[in-house]
Amino acid sequence: MALPFDPADIEPEDYGEKQTTLAMEHEEAIEHVRGVCADCGFGIPVEFLPSELLNEKVDADRDPYYVLGACNPKMADRALDATDKQIGALFPCNMVIWEEAPGTQRVYHVSIMKIARMLGMATDEAELDAIIDETGEMVEEAFAKLDAAQ
């Protein structure tokens, strides 16, 4: 199956990739990222530990890998309208924390809003662009706070 675009032509900024490392233990990093998300206007309605599930179900032997499903309800509500409800397939906005080494955690995020625009989900492009700008500022603030923790 051919993609409608060449992934090699897409820059991390195009899909809102943000990442940083934290010099702390995994559980501490999860709590820290959860707190930073709350400070920046994101609630965490969904959390799960894929590594635990994979280690149990398929003996994957994965290092700790945690997903915080972040959400700002006002933005999510606007995004549903701006995409004729399609963006719900991408919900929530995940903040992923994985252990790169003991005492070193990677925090990773991509913008579901930018991905929705790239996939042509916008039915109200101006509104989705406004949401992308606003959520982008919130994510920038969150990663600035995460970087400051180092």
Coordinates of all heavy atoms in Angstrom, one line a residue, residues 8-98:
A8 N 9.7 10.4 4.4 CA 11.1 11.0 4.4 C 11.0 12.5 4.2 O 11.9 13.2 4.6 CB 12.0 10.4 3.4
D9 N 9.9 13.0 3.6 CA 9.7 14.4 3.4 C 9.1 15.2 4.6 O 9.0 16.4 4.6 CB 8.8 14.7 2.2 CG 9.5 14.3 0.9 OD1 10.8 14.2 0.9 OD2 8.8 14.0 -0.1
I10 N 8.7 14.4 5.6 CA 8.0 15.0 6.8 C 9.1 15.2 7.9 O 9.8 14.3 8.3 CB 6.9 14.1 7.3 CG1 5.9 13.9 6.2 CG2 6.2 14.7 8.5 CD1 4.9 12.8 6.5
E11 N 9.1 16.4 8.4 CA 9.9 16.8 9.5 C 9.2 16.6 10.8 O 8.0 16.7 10.9 CB 10.3 18.3 9.4 CG 11.1 18.6 8.1 CD 12.5 17.9 8.1 OE1 13.1 17.8 9.2 OE2 13.0 17.6 7.0
P12 N 9.9 16.3 11.9 CA 9.3 16.2 13.2 C 8.3 17.3 13.6 O 7.3 17.1 14.2 CB 10.5 16.0 14.2 CG 11.5 15.5 13.3 CD 11.4 16.1 12.0
E13 N 8.7 18.5 13.2 CA 7.8 19.7 13.5 C 6.4 19.5 12.8 O 5.4 20.0 13.3 CB 8.4 21.0 13.1 CG 9.8 21.3 13.7 CD 11.0 20.6 13.0 OE1 11.0 20.7 11.7 OE2 11.8 20.1 13.7
D14 N 6.4 18.9 11.7 CA 5.2 18.7 10.9 C 4.1 17.9 11.7 O 3.0 18.1 11.5 CB 5.4 18.0 9.5 CG 6.3 18.9 8.6 OD1 6.4 20.1 8.8 OD2 7.0 18.3 7.7
Y15 N 4.6 17.0 12.5 CA 3.6 16.2 13.2 C 3.8 16.4 14.7 O 3.2 15.7 15.5 CB 3.7 14.7 12.9 CG 5.1 14.1 13.0 CD1 5.6 13.5 14.2 CD2 6.0 14.0 11.9 CE1 6.9 13.0 14.3 CE2 7.2 13.5 12.0 CZ 7.7 13.0 13.2 OH 8.9 12.4 13.3
G16 N 4.5 17.5 15.1 CA 4.5 17.9 16.5 C 5.3 17.1 17.4 O 5.0 17.0 18.6
E17 N 6.3 16.4 16.9 CA 7.1 15.6 17.8 C 7.9 16.5 18.8 O 8.5 17.4 18.4 CB 8.1 14.8 17.0 CG 9.0 13.9 17.8 CD 10.1 13.1 17.0 OE1 11.1 13.8 16.6 OE2 9.9 11.9 16.8
K18 N 7.8 16.1 20.1 CA 8.5 16.7 21.1 C 9.1 15.5 22.0 O 8.4 14.5 22.2 CB 7.6 17.5 22.0 CG 7.0 18.7 21.3 CD 7.9 19.8 20.9 CE 8.5 20.5 22.0 NZ 9.4 21.6 21.6
Q19 N 10.3 15.7 22.5 CA 10.9 14.7 23.4 C 12.0 15.3 24.2 O 12.6 16.3 23.9 CB 11.4 13.5 22.6 CG 12.4 13.7 21.6 CD 12.7 12.4 20.8 OE1 13.0 11.4 21.5 NE2 12.7 12.5 19.5
T20 N 12.1 14.7 25.4 CA 13.2 15.1 26.3 C 13.5 13.9 27.1 O 12.8 12.9 27.1 CB 12.8 16.3 27.2 OG1 13.9 16.8 27.8 CG2 11.7 15.9 28.1
T21 N 14.6 14.0 27.9 CA 14.9 12.9 28.9 C 14.9 13.5 30.3 O 15.1 14.7 30.4 CB 16.3 12.3 28.6 OG1 17.3 13.4 28.6 CG2 16.4 11.6 27.3
L22 N 14.6 12.7 31.2 CA 14.6 13.1 32.6 C 15.5 12.2 33.4 O 15.5 10.9 33.2 CB 13.1 12.9 33.2 CG 12.1 13.8 32.5 CD1 10.7 13.4 33.1 CD2 12.3 15.2 32.7
A23 N 16.3 12.8 34.2 CA 17.3 12.0 35.0 C 16.6 11.7 36.4 O 16.7 12.4 37.4 CB 18.5 12.8 35.3
M24 N 15.7 10.7 36.3 CA 15.0 10.2 37.5 C 14.5 8.8 37.2 O 14.6 8.3 36.1 CB 13.9 11.1 37.9 CG 12.9 11.4 36.7 SD 11.6 12.6 37.2 CE 12.5 14.2 37.2
E25 N 14.1 8.2 38.3 CA 13.5 6.8 38.2 C 12.2 6.8 37.4 O 11.5 7.9 37.4 CB 13.4 6.1 39.5 CG 14.8 5.9 40.2 CD 15.7 5.1 39.4 OE1 15.3 4.1 38.7 OE2 16.9 5.4 39.3
H26 N 11.8 5.7 36.9 CA 10.6 5.6 36.1 C 9.3 6.1 36.8 O 8.6 7.0 36.3 CB 10.4 4.2 35.6 CG 9.4 4.1 34.5 ND1 9.6 4.6 33.2 CD2 8.2 3.5 34.4 CE1 8.5 4.4 32.5 NE2 7.6 3.7 33.2
E27 N 9.0 5.6 38.0 CA 7.8 6.0 38.7 C 7.8 7.5 39.0 O 6.8 8.2 38.9 CB 7.6 5.2 40.0 CG 7.3 3.7 39.7 CD 6.0 3.5 39.0 OE1 5.0 4.3 39.2 OE2 5.9 2.6 38.1
E28 N 9.0 8.0 39.4 CA 9.1 9.4 39.7 C 8.9 10.3 38.4 O 8.2 11.3 38.5 CB 10.5 9.7 40.2 CG 10.8 11.2 40.5 CD 12.2 11.4 41.0 OE1 13.1 10.5 41.0 OE2 12.5 12.6 41.3
A29 N 9.4 9.8 37.3 CA 9.1 10.5 36.0 C 7.7 10.5 35.6 O 7.1 11.5 35.2 CB 9.9 9.8 34.9
I30 N 7.0 9.4 35.8 CA 5.5 9.4 35.6 C 4.8 10.4 36.4 O 4.0 11.2 35.9 CB 5.0 8.0 35.8 CG1 5.5 7.0 34.8 CG2 3.4 8.0 35.8 CD1 5.3 5.5 35.2
E31 N 5.1 10.5 37.7 CA 4.5 11.4 38.6 C 4.8 12.9 38.2 O 4.0 13.8 38.2 CB 4.8 11.2 40.0 CG 4.3 9.9 40.6 CD 2.8 9.8 40.5 OE1 2.1 10.9 40.8 OE2 2.2 8.8 40.1
H32 N 6.1 13.1 37.8 CA 6.5 14.4 37.4 C 5.8 14.8 36.1 O 5.3 16.0 36.0 CB 8.0 14.4 37.2 CG 8.6 15.7 36.8 ND1 8.5 16.8 37.6 CD2 9.1 16.2 35.6 CE1 9.1 17.9 37.0 NE2 9.4 17.5 35.8
V33 N 5.7 14.0 35.1 CA 5.1 14.3 33.8 C 3.6 14.5 34.1 O 3.0 15.5 33.5 CB 5.3 13.2 32.8 CG1 4.5 13.5 31.5 CG2 6.8 13.2 32.4
R34 N 3.0 13.7 34.9 CA 1.5 13.9 35.3 C 1.3 15.3 35.9 O 0.4 16.0 35.5 CB 1.1 12.8 36.2 CG -0.4 12.8 36.5 CD -0.8 11.8 37.5 NE -0.7 10.4 37.0 CZ 0.1 9.5 37.5 NH1 0.8 9.7 38.5 NH2 0.1 8.3 36.9
G35 N 2.2 15.7 36.8 CA 2.1 17.0 37.4 C 2.3 18.1 36.4 O 1.5 19.1 36.5
V36 N 3.3 18.0 35.6 CA 3.5 19.1 34.6 C 2.3 19.2 33.6 O 1.9 20.3 33.3 CB 4.8 18.8 33.8 CG1 4.9 19.6 32.6 CG2 6.0 19.0 34.7
C37 N 1.8 18.1 33.2 CA 0.6 18.1 32.3 C -0.5 18.9 33.0 O -1.2 19.7 32.4 CB 0.1 16.7 32.0 SG 1.2 15.9 30.7
A38 N -0.8 18.6 34.3 CA -1.8 19.3 35.0 C -1.6 20.7 35.1 O -2.5 21.6 34.9 CB -2.0 18.6 36.4
D39 N -0.3 21.1 35.4 CA 0.1 22.5 35.5 C -0.2 23.3 34.1 O -0.4 24.5 34.1 CB 1.5 22.7 35.8 CG 1.8 22.3 37.3 OD1 0.9 22.1 38.1 OD2 3.0 22.1 37.6
C40 N -0.1 22.5 33.0 CA -0.2 23.2 31.7 C -1.6 23.0 31.1 O -1.8 23.3 29.9 CB 0.8 22.6 30.8 SG 2.5 23.0 31.3
G41 N -2.6 22.5 31.9 CA -3.9 22.5 31.4 C -4.4 21.2 30.9 O -5.5 21.1 30.3
F42 N -3.6 20.1 31.1 CA -4.0 18.8 30.6 C -4.4 17.9 31.7 O -3.7 17.8 32.7 CB -2.9 18.1 29.8 CG -2.5 18.7 28.6 CD1 -1.3 19.5 28.5 CD2 -3.2 18.6 27.4 CE1 -0.9 20.1 27.3 CE2 -2.9 19.2 26.2 CZ -1.7 19.9 26.2
G43 N -5.6 17.3 31.6 CA -5.9 16.2 32.6 C -5.4 14.9 32.0 O -5.0 14.8 30.9
I44 N -5.5 13.9 32.8 CA -5.0 12.5 32.4 C -6.2 11.6 32.6 O -6.3 10.9 33.7 CB -3.8 12.1 33.2 CG1 -2.7 13.2 33.2 CG2 -3.3 10.7 32.7 CD1 -2.0 13.4 31.8
P45 N -7.1 11.4 31.7 CA -8.2 10.5 31.8 C -7.9 9.0 31.6 O -8.6 8.2 32.0 CB -9.2 11.0 30.8 CG -8.4 11.6 29.7 CD -7.2 12.2 30.4
V46 N -6.7 8.8 31.0 CA -6.4 7.4 30.6 C -4.9 7.2 30.9 O -4.1 8.1 30.6 CB -6.6 7.1 29.1 CG1 -6.2 5.7 28.7 CG2 -8.1 7.4 28.7
E47 N -4.6 6.1 31.5 CA -3.2 5.7 31.7 C -3.0 4.2 31.6 O -4.0 3.5 31.9 CB -2.7 6.0 33.2 CG -2.8 7.5 33.5 CD -2.3 7.7 34.9 OE1 -1.3 7.1 35.3 OE2 -2.9 8.6 35.6
F48 N -1.9 3.8 31.0 CA -1.7 2.3 30.9 C -0.2 2.0 30.7 O 0.6 2.9 30.4 CB -2.5 1.7 29.8 CG -2.3 2.2 28.4 CD1 -1.6 1.5 27.5 CD2 -2.9 3.4 28.0 CE1 -1.4 1.9 26.2 CE2 -2.7 3.8 26.7 CZ -2.0 3.1 25.8
L49 N 0.1 0.8 31.0 CA 1.5 0.4 31.0 C 1.6 -0.8 30.0 O 1.5 -1.9 30.4 CB 1.8 -0.1 32.4 CG 3.2 -0.6 32.8 CD1 4.3 0.5 32.5 CD2 3.3 -1.0 34.2
P50 N 1.9 -0.4 28.7 CA 2.0 -1.5 27.7 C 3.1 -2.5 28.0 O 2.9 -3.7 27.7 CB 2.3 -0.7 26.4 CG 1.8 0.7 26.7 CD 2.0 0.9 28.1
S51 N 4.2 -2.1 28.6 CA 5.3 -3.0 28.8 C 4.8 -4.1 29.8 O 5.1 -5.3 29.5 CB 6.5 -2.3 29.4 OG 6.2 -1.6 30.6
E52 N 4.0 -3.8 30.8 CA 3.5 -4.8 31.7 C 2.6 -5.8 31.0 O 2.8 -7.0 31.1 CB 2.8 -4.2 32.8 CG 2.4 -5.1 33.9 CD 1.7 -4.4 35.1 OE1 2.5 -3.9 35.9 OE2 0.5 -4.3 35.1
L53 N 1.7 -5.3 30.2 CA 0.8 -6.2 29.4 C 1.6 -7.1 28.4 O 1.4 -8.3 28.4 CB -0.2 -5.3 28.6 CG -1.1 -6.1 27.6 CD1 -2.1 -6.9 28.4 CD2 -1.7 -5.1 26.7
L54 N 2.6 -6.5 27.7 CA 3.3 -7.3 26.7 C 4.2 -8.3 27.4 O 4.4 -9.4 26.9 CB 4.2 -6.3 25.8 CG 3.3 -5.4 24.9 CD1 4.2 -4.4 24.3 CD2 2.5 -6.2 23.9
N55 N 4.8 -7.9 28.5 CA 5.7 -8.8 29.2 C 4.9 -10.0 29.8 O 5.3 -11.1 29.7 CB 6.4 -8.1 30.4 CG 7.4 -7.1 29.9 OD1 7.8 -7.1 28.8 ND2 7.8 -6.3 30.8
E56 N 3.6 -9.7 30.2 CA 2.8 -10.8 30.7 C 2.2 -11.7 29.6 O 2.2 -12.9 29.7 CB 1.6 -10.2 31.5 CG 0.6 -11.2 32.0 CD -0.6 -10.5 32.7 OE1 -0.3 -9.6 33.4 OE2 -1.7 -11.0 32.5
K57 N 1.7 -11.0 28.5 CA 1.0 -11.8 27.5 C 1.9 -12.5 26.4 O 1.5 -13.5 25.9 CB 0.0 -10.9 26.7 CG -1.0 -10.3 27.6 CD -2.0 -11.3 28.1 CE -3.1 -10.7 28.9 NZ -4.0 -11.7 29.5
V58 N 3.0 -11.8 26.1 CA 3.9 -12.4 25.0 C 5.3 -12.5 25.5 O 6.2 -12.7 24.6 CB 3.8 -11.6 23.7 CG1 2.4 -11.7 23.1 CG2 4.2 -10.2 23.8
D59 N 5.6 -12.5 26.8 CA 6.9 -12.6 27.3 C 7.9 -11.7 26.6 O 9.0 -12.1 26.1 CB 7.4 -14.1 27.2 CG 8.5 -14.4 28.1 OD1 8.7 -13.6 29.1 OD2 9.3 -15.3 27.8
A60 N 7.5 -10.4 26.4 CA 8.3 -9.5 25.6 C 9.6 -9.0 26.3 O 10.5 -8.5 25.6 CB 7.5 -8.2 25.3
D61 N 9.7 -9.1 27.6 CA 10.9 -8.6 28.3 C 11.1 -7.1 28.0 O 12.3 -6.7 27.8 CB 12.1 -9.5 28.0 CG 13.2 -9.2 29.0 OD1 12.9 -8.9 30.2 OD2 14.4 -9.3 28.6
R62 N 10.1 -6.3 28.1 CA 10.3 -4.9 27.8 C 10.6 -4.1 29.1 O 10.1 -4.4 30.2 CB 9.0 -4.3 27.2 CG 8.6 -4.8 25.9 CD 8.1 -3.7 25.0 NE 8.0 -4.2 23.7 CZ 8.9 -3.8 22.7 NH1 9.8 -3.0 22.9 NH2 8.7 -4.3 21.5
D63 N 11.4 -3.1 28.9 CA 11.7 -2.2 30.0 C 10.4 -1.3 30.3 O 9.6 -1.2 29.4 CB 12.9 -1.2 29.7 CG 14.2 -2.0 29.7 OD1 14.3 -3.0 30.4 OD2 15.1 -1.6 29.0
P64 N 10.3 -0.7 31.4 CA 9.1 0.1 31.7 C 8.8 1.1 30.6 O 9.7 1.9 30.1 CB 9.5 0.8 33.0 CG 10.5 -0.1 33.7 CD 11.3 -0.7 32.6
Y65 N 7.5 1.1 30.2 CA 7.0 1.9 29.2 C 5.6 2.3 29.6 O 4.7 1.5 29.7 CB 7.0 1.1 27.9 CG 6.6 1.9 26.6 CD1 7.6 2.4 25.8 CD2 5.3 2.1 26.2 CE1 7.3 3.1 24.6 CE2 5.0 2.8 25.1 CZ 6.0 3.3 24.3 OH 5.7 4.0 23.1
Y66 N 5.3 3.6 29.8 CA 4.1 4.1 30.4 C 3.5 5.1 29.4 O 4.2 6.0 28.9 CB 4.3 4.7 31.7 CG 3.1 4.7 32.6 CD1 2.8 3.6 33.4 CD2 2.3 5.8 32.7 CE1 1.7 3.6 34.2 CE2 1.2 5.9 33.5 CZ 0.9 4.8 34.3 OH -0.2 4.8 35.1
V67 N 2.1 5.1 29.3 CA 1.4 6.1 28.5 C 0.5 6.9 29.4 O -0.4 6.3 30.1 CB 0.7 5.4 27.4 CG1 -0.1 6.4 26.5 CG2 1.6 4.6 26.5
L68 N 0.6 8.2 29.4 CA -0.3 9.1 30.0 C -1.2 9.7 28.9 O -0.7 10.4 28.0 CB 0.4 10.2 30.8 CG 1.2 9.8 32.0 CD1 2.0 11.0 32.5 CD2 0.3 9.3 33.1
G69 N -2.5 9.4 28.9 CA -3.4 10.0 27.9 C -3.8 11.3 28.3 O -4.8 11.4 29.1
A70 N -3.2 12.4 27.9 CA -3.5 13.7 28.3 C -4.6 14.3 27.5 O -4.8 14.0 26.3 CB -2.2 14.6 28.1
C71 N -5.4 15.2 28.1 CA -6.6 15.8 27.4 C -6.9 17.1 28.1 O -6.9 17.3 29.3 CB -7.8 14.8 27.5 SG -9.2 15.5 26.6
N72 N -7.2 18.1 27.2 CA -7.8 19.3 27.6 C -9.2 19.3 27.1 O -9.4 19.4 25.8 CB -7.0 20.5 27.1 CG -7.7 21.8 27.5 OD1 -8.7 22.2 27.0 ND2 -7.0 22.6 28.4
P73 N -10.2 19.1 27.9 CA -11.6 18.9 27.4 C -12.1 20.0 26.5 O -12.8 19.6 25.5 CB -12.4 18.8 28.7 CG -11.5 18.3 29.7 CD -10.2 19.0 29.4
K74 N -11.8 21.2 26.7 CA -12.3 22.3 25.8 C -11.7 22.1 24.4 O -12.3 22.3 23.4 CB -11.9 23.7 26.4 CG -12.8 24.0 27.6 CD -12.4 25.4 28.1 CE -13.2 25.7 29.4 NZ -12.9 27.0 29.9
M75 N -10.4 21.8 24.4 CA -9.7 21.6 23.1 C -10.2 20.4 22.4 O -10.5 20.4 21.2 CB -8.2 21.5 23.3 CG -7.5 22.7 23.8 SD -7.7 24.0 22.6 CE -7.0 25.4 23.5
A76 N -10.5 19.3 23.1 CA -11.0 18.1 22.6 C -12.4 18.3 22.0 O -12.7 17.8 20.9 CB -11.0 17.0 23.6
D77 N -13.2 19.0 22.7 CA -14.5 19.3 22.2 C -14.5 20.1 20.9 O -15.2 19.8 19.9 CB -15.3 20.1 23.3 CG -16.8 20.3 22.9 OD1 -17.5 19.3 22.5 OD2 -17.2 21.5 23.0
R78 N -13.6 21.2 20.9 CA -13.5 22.0 19.7 C -12.9 21.1 18.5 O -13.4 21.3 17.4 CB -12.5 23.1 19.9 CG -13.1 24.2 20.8 CD -12.1 25.3 21.2 NE -11.5 25.9 20.1 CZ -10.4 26.6 20.2 NH1 -9.8 26.8 21.3 NH2 -9.9 27.2 19.1
A79 N -12.0 20.2 18.8 CA -11.4 19.4 17.8 C -12.4 18.4 17.2 O -12.4 18.2 16.0 CB -10.2 18.7 18.3
L80 N -13.3 17.9 18.0 CA -14.3 17.0 17.5 C -15.2 17.8 16.5 O -15.5 17.2 15.4 CB -15.2 16.5 18.6 CG -14.6 15.4 19.4 CD1 -15.4 15.1 20.7 CD2 -14.4 14.1 18.6
D81 N -15.5 19.0 16.8 CA -16.3 19.8 15.8 C -15.6 20.1 14.6 O -16.1 20.1 13.5 CB -16.8 21.1 16.5 CG -17.9 20.9 17.6 OD1 -18.5 19.8 17.5 OD2 -18.1 21.7 18.4
A82 N -14.3 20.5 14.7 CA -13.5 20.9 13.6 C -13.1 19.7 12.7 O -12.5 20.0 11.6 CB -12.2 21.6 14.1
T83 N -13.4 18.5 13.1 CA -13.0 17.3 12.2 C -14.2 16.4 12.0 O -14.1 15.3 11.6 CB -11.9 16.5 12.9 OG1 -12.4 16.0 14.2 CG2 -10.6 17.3 13.1
D84 N -15.4 16.9 12.2 CA -16.6 16.2 12.1 C -16.5 14.9 12.9 O -16.9 13.8 12.4 CB -16.9 15.9 10.6 CG -18.4 15.5 10.4 OD1 -19.2 15.8 11.2 OD2 -18.6 14.8 9.4
K85 N -16.0 15.0 14.1 CA -15.8 13.9 15.1 C -14.7 12.9 14.8 O -14.5 12.0 15.5 CB -17.2 13.2 15.3 CG -18.2 14.1 15.8 CD -19.5 13.4 16.1 CE -20.6 14.3 16.5 NZ -21.1 15.2 15.5
Q86 N -14.1 13.0 13.6 CA -13.1 12.0 13.2 C -11.9 11.9 14.1 O -11.3 10.8 14.3 CB -12.6 12.2 11.8 CG -13.7 12.0 10.8 CD -13.3 12.3 9.4 OE1 -12.2 12.0 9.0 NE2 -14.1 13.0 8.6
I87 N -11.5 13.0 14.7 CA -10.2 13.1 15.5 C -10.3 12.2 16.7 O -9.3 11.8 17.3 CB -9.9 14.5 15.9 CG1 -8.4 14.6 16.3 CG2 -10.8 15.0 17.0 CD1 -7.8 15.9 16.4
G88 N -11.5 11.8 17.1 CA -11.7 10.9 18.2 C -11.0 9.6 18.1 O -10.6 9.0 19.1
A89 N -10.7 9.2 16.8 CA -9.9 8.0 16.6 C -8.5 8.1 17.0 O -7.8 7.1 17.2 CB -10.0 7.6 15.1
L90 N -8.0 9.4 17.2 CA -6.7 9.6 17.6 C -6.6 10.0 19.1 O -5.5 10.1 19.6 CB -6.1 10.8 16.8 CG -6.0 10.6 15.3 CD1 -5.5 11.9 14.6 CD2 -5.1 9.4 14.9
F91 N -7.7 10.2 19.8 CA -7.7 10.6 21.2 C -7.1 9.5 22.0 O -7.2 8.3 21.7 CB -9.1 10.8 21.7 CG -9.7 12.1 21.4 CD1 -11.0 12.4 21.7 CD2 -9.0 13.1 20.7 CE1 -11.6 13.6 21.4 CE2 -9.6 14.3 20.4 CZ -10.9 14.6 20.8
P92 N -6.5 9.8 23.2 CA -6.1 11.1 23.7 C -4.8 11.5 23.1 O -4.1 10.8 22.4 CB -6.1 10.9 25.2 CG -5.6 9.4 25.3 CD -6.2 8.7 24.1
C93 N -4.3 12.7 23.6 CA -3.0 13.2 23.3 C -2.0 12.5 24.2 O -2.0 12.9 25.4 CB -2.9 14.7 23.4 SG -4.1 15.6 22.4
N94 N -1.2 11.6 23.7 CA -0.4 10.8 24.6 C 1.0 11.4 24.9 O 1.6 12.0 24.1 CB -0.2 9.4 24.0 CG -1.4 8.6 24.0 OD1 -2.2 8.6 24.9 ND2 -1.6 7.8 23.0
M95 N 1.3 11.3 26.2 CA 2.7 11.6 26.7 C 3.2 10.2 27.1 O 2.7 9.5 28.0 CB 2.7 12.5 27.9 CG 2.1 13.9 27.6 SD 3.2 14.9 26.6 CE 4.2 15.6 27.8
V96 N 4.3 9.8 26.4 CA 4.8 8.4 26.6 C 6.1 8.6 27.4 O 6.9 9.4 27.1 CB 5.1 7.7 25.3 CG1 5.6 6.3 25.5 CG2 3.8 7.7 24.4
I97 N 6.3 7.7 28.4 CA 7.5 7.7 29.2 C 8.1 6.3 29.2 O 7.4 5.3 29.5 CB 7.2 8.1 30.7 CG1 6.5 9.5 30.7 CG2 8.5 8.1 31.5 CD1 5.2 9.4 31.4
W98 N 9.3 6.2 28.7 CA 10.0 4.9 28.7 C 11.4 5.0 29.3 O 12.0 6.0 29.2 CB 10.0 4.2 27.3 CG 10.9 4.8 26.3 CD1 12.2 4.7 26.1 CD2 10.4 5.6 25.2 NE1 12.7 5.3 25.0 CE2 11.6 5.9 24.4 CE3 9.2 6.1 24.8 CZ2 11.5 6.7 23.2 CZ3 9.1 6.8 23.6 CH2 10.3 7.1 22.9

